[in-house]
C-alpha cells in the first residue's frame, strides 16, 4: 500500500468511493458533481492537506482536511476519511488514520479535530484511536 498526497487529478478517482460510502452506507443522496465540488473545495482551500491510499494503482481510500491556526496551537481539521467498502474492517482505516496523524504532527499540528456521525460504529472506530468528545465545544446549526 502506498500513501501519498492527493493531487487535483486524483479527485475524479476518489469520487466513486465517496458516493459509495455516503449514498449506500449513510443513505445520503450525493451526485458525482456535488461530491467532486465538496472534495475540490477542501483540497483547494488554504492550509489543505489531503492523502490518498493506493495499492496496485487502485484507490483504497482518501482523507482530506486542512490546518487552522489558533492562539495556542495549530490544529488539523479532518473533514473526511473514506475507505473503499471492500477494504473496511480490515485495519486499513486505522493504519491510514495513523499515517495521517504522523504526517500532520510532523507538519506542526498539535491536535486533530473532526466532526463525526454520533453512532456506535463511528464512536468505536475513533474511540479505539484515542479520539474523545470535546468537552468545551458543541456543534451549533441553523437551517436557513
Amino acid at each position: 500500500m502506498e500513501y501519498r498526497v492527493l493531487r487535483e487529478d486524483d479527485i475524479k478517482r476518489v469520487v466513486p468511493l465517496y458516493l459509495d460510502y455516503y449514498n449506500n452506507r449513510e443513505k445520503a443522496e450525493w451526485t458525482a458533481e456535488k461530491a467532486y465540488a465538496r472534495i475540490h473545495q477542501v483540497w483547494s482551500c488554504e492550509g489543505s492537506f489531503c492523502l490518498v491510499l493506493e495499492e496496485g494503482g487502485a484507490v483504497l481510500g482518501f482523507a482530506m482536511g486542512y490546518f487552522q491556526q489558533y492562539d495556542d496551537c495549530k490544529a488539523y481539521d479532518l473533514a473526511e476519511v473514506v475507505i473503499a467498502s471492500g477494504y473496511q474492517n480490515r485495519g486499513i482505516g486505522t493504519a491510514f488514520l495513523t499515517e495521517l496523524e504522523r504526517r500532520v504532527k510532523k507538519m506542526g499540528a498539535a491536535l486533530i479535530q473532526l466532526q463525526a456521525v454520533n453512532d456506535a460504529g463511528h464512536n468505536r472506530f475513533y474511540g479505539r484511536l484515542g479520539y474523545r468528545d470535546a468537552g468545551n465545544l458543541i456543534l451549533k446549526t441553523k437551517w436557513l
Side-chain angles (χ1 to χ4, degrees):
M1 286 189 281
E2 175 191 359
Y3 304 101
R4 65 172 176 77
V5 173
L6 186 115
R7 300 180 306 254
E8 187 172 17
D9 61 336
D10 291 321
I11 297 173
K12 290 178 187 169
R13 298 178 62 218
V14 301
V15 163
L17 274 69
Y18 196 91
L19 294 173
D20 179 54
Y21 177 78
Y22 284 102
N23 290 351
N24 295 327
R25 193 103 181 235
E26 300 292 337
K27 305 302 180 208
E29 296 180 5
W30 285 93
T31 64
E33 295 79 19
K34 288 179 182 178
Y36 183 93
R38 163 79 174 141
I39 298 165
H40 192 274
Q41 181 180 44
V42 174
W43 174 85
S44 64
C45 77
E46 184 177 346
S48 173
F49 182 71
C50 307
L51 282 180
V52 65
L53 172 60
E54 292 180 315
E55 184 174 60
V59 176
L60 305 185
F62 74 101
M64 61 183 195
Y66 49 90
F67 291 95
Q68 290 198 68
Q69 185 62 58
Y70 294 100
D71 64 331
D72 59 348
C73 75
K74 183 178 182 180
Y76 179 77
D77 275 14
L78 178 59
E80 308 279 355
V81 58
V82 177
I83 301 297
S85 58
Y87 293 89
Q88 293 179 6
N89 299 310
R90 294 166 58 181
I92 293 170
T94 298
F96 189 42
L97 198 49
T98 300
E99 177 64 16
L100 178 73
E101 290 172 357
R102 185 188 71 74
R103 289 185 184 211
V104 299
K105 181 178 181 181
K106 188 175 179 180
M107 297 169 75
L111 68 93
I112 294 180
Q113 52 194 16
L114 60 94
Q115 295 178 33
V117 175
N118 189 12
D119 65 16
H122 286 89
N123 290 334
R124 185 174 46 255
F125 174 72
Y126 290 112
R128 282 194 310 245
L129 289 163
Y131 289 80
R132 302 290 175 252
D133 294 345
N136 61 335
L137 299 172
I138 187 165
L139 180 64
K140 303 281 189 192
T141 64
K142 179 179 178 180
W143 288 93
L144 303 175

